[in-house]
Amino acid sequence: MIKFSDENNLIDIDYASYKSRLSKIVTGINDKSIEGSDFLGWIDVFNNSQHVVDEVINENKRLRKLGKTMVVIGIGGSYLGAKAVDDAIYGQNLATEYKLLFVGNSISSHYIDEIYNHCLNNDFVLNVISKSGSTLESALSFRIFKKLLIEKYGEEGLKERLVITTDPSDGKLREFANKHDYTSFNIPSDVGGRYSVFTAVGLIPLAFGGIDIEKFLKGGADASKQYLKDDINNDAFKYALNRYILNEENGFAVEALISYRPSCRYLIEWIKQLYGESEGKNSKGLLPVGFIYSTDLHSLGQFVQDGSKILFETLFKINNSKRVVDIPLEEDDFDGLNRIVAQNSMHDIKMKTMSGVINAHTEGGVPNLVIEMEYLDDYTIGYLMSFLMYSCMYTAYLLELNPFDQPGVEIYKREMYKLL
Ligand code: PA5
């Protein structure tokens, strides 16, 4: 389903010598003795979510009768997963009937007002997502859009159109939901934000947007069976090991996450958060950055090829597309491209560009890792995200870090609240 390749990583790795580290990590995960094991609930979600799926599907049928827009309020792990999947599958949403609009991820008046104005003139439902229930950005947007719901539809309409996704027992949002008996879903206490896309956090918006959430979860669950294995051929561990060795032993500080599909920009944003918050601790960890090629080959390609040797690339390679774009031949061949166009579709050009770029960048001393899949659809994106969650967890454990806390994020919040 997912193929990991280290063929172009420019270093030799003796995988067998890491066998005992993998065994220790897998044992620690299974018997919950490893650091951070109180946040391993995301693994149980794969085996335990049929009732949540059924509830989400029923709720979605009701919500879709009320409007074609869902405003999703959340930040960080409370929105990136849904945004990543919705964009990756539906692109610019030009053809979709039901749309997701994300707020609470920004404090830009320009951004919020644009969505507010759309909602003035279009029927909408609201899903507010916050595990802690007290994140400033989300709470501010919730005030704004809750008021708009009341103004448009009254208190009864608010009750009908609002869905709250939060902690089962803690936090102000849970208190608020219980007090007014609003429709609410739980984020399991033992699942952290950036590992929550397979819970109601991701499933409610994705179902509304049109994703087949059963296939998405099945993809995640199948990958989970594959990658929680004490087997040195476990690709999630191999990818983690490559990242760890390139970083710790070879001095690469930056991992450039590459996609050639612009609609995967938010998939990369989701990975950036997953890796950045899980691994950037105790003065350790890779800085994850994202590039969309070939766009960024025309801006950052020079640096990658020839600049400071601080980065390696991880390419997310999708081998097939269900969409076919043929490029027309020109009678007078004014641009001299007829020979190329006669032999290649747009997809062929992209695939050959990918290979050419790997050759060029590795010649320039930039290691390349490749994560390859045949198609990106509702099932495979679930599989891929689960694979990446495992890889991230393994990398953090190789670095001897807790993958599930984020002490650094709290510090900016403290300073901001002092000023506010
Ligand atoms: O991964 C995380 O834990 C964070 O990114 C949170 O998801 C983010 O800070 C939002 O927090 P909350 O869901 O409590 O509003």
Side-chain angles (χ1 to χ4, degrees), residues 4 35 50 52 57 185 188 209 212 217 249 256 270 295 378 392 407:
F4 167 70
E35 197 186 355
Q50 196 50 51
V52 180
I57 290 174
F185 283 79
D212 183 332
L217 250 165
E249 292 173 16
W270 176 81
T295 317
D378 306 33
C392 175

Side-chain angles (χ1 to χ4, degrees), residues 75-78 129-133 135 138 192-194 273 277 406 413:
I75 194 164
S78 288
I129 308 168
S130 176
K131 175 113 190 270
S132 62
T135 302
S138 312
R194 56 191 177 275
Q273 190 216 0
E277 279 192 354
Q406 53 282 327
K413 290 187 187 165

Side-chain angles (χ1 to χ4, degrees), residues 195-323:
Y195 292 84
S196 68
V197 65
F198 293 102
T199 69
V201 170
L203 300 182
I204 293 172
L206 288 175
F208 189 87
I211 299 292
D212 183 332
I213 57 167
E214 289 182 286
K215 285 191 184 151
F216 176 64
L217 250 165
K218 171 97 173 66
D222 286 353
S224 182
K225 282 182 210 130
Q226 196 61 29
Y227 300 121
L228 185 54
K229 263 192 195 158
D230 181 6
D231 173 351
I232 203 62
N233 292 315
N234 173 342
D235 270 352
F237 185 73
K238 280 173 111 175
Y239 171 43
L241 199 51
N242 275 265
R243 301 177 68 236
Y244 168 74
I245 291 175
L246 283 164
N247 180 212
E248 285 282 292
E249 292 173 16
N250 293 268
F252 289 96
V254 179
E255 178 176 18
L257 305 156
I258 313 287
S259 173
Y260 281 70
R261 197 177 273 193
S263 56
C264 288
R265 184 177 297 281
Y266 269 89
L267 181 59
I268 288 178
E269 291 301 317
W270 176 81
I271 305 171
K272 276 164 61 181
Q273 190 216 0
L274 180 68
Y275 289 1
E277 279 192 354
S278 301
E279 302 167 9
K281 287 164 206 170
N282 297 353
S283 306
K284 293 185 189 175
L286 286 159
L287 172 68
V289 300
F291 301 157
I292 298 293
Y293 288 169
S294 67
T295 317
D296 289 336
L297 286 173
H298 296 258
S299 57
L300 294 162
Q302 170 63 38
F303 184 99
V304 176
Q305 183 72 45
D306 210 17
S308 319
K309 291 289 166 258
I310 54 171
L311 66 82
F312 69 89
E313 293 173 299
T314 297
L315 169 66
F316 293 87
K317 186 172 177 221
I318 307 165
N319 286 333
N320 296 292
S321 170
K322 291 189 174 133
R323 297 173 189 264

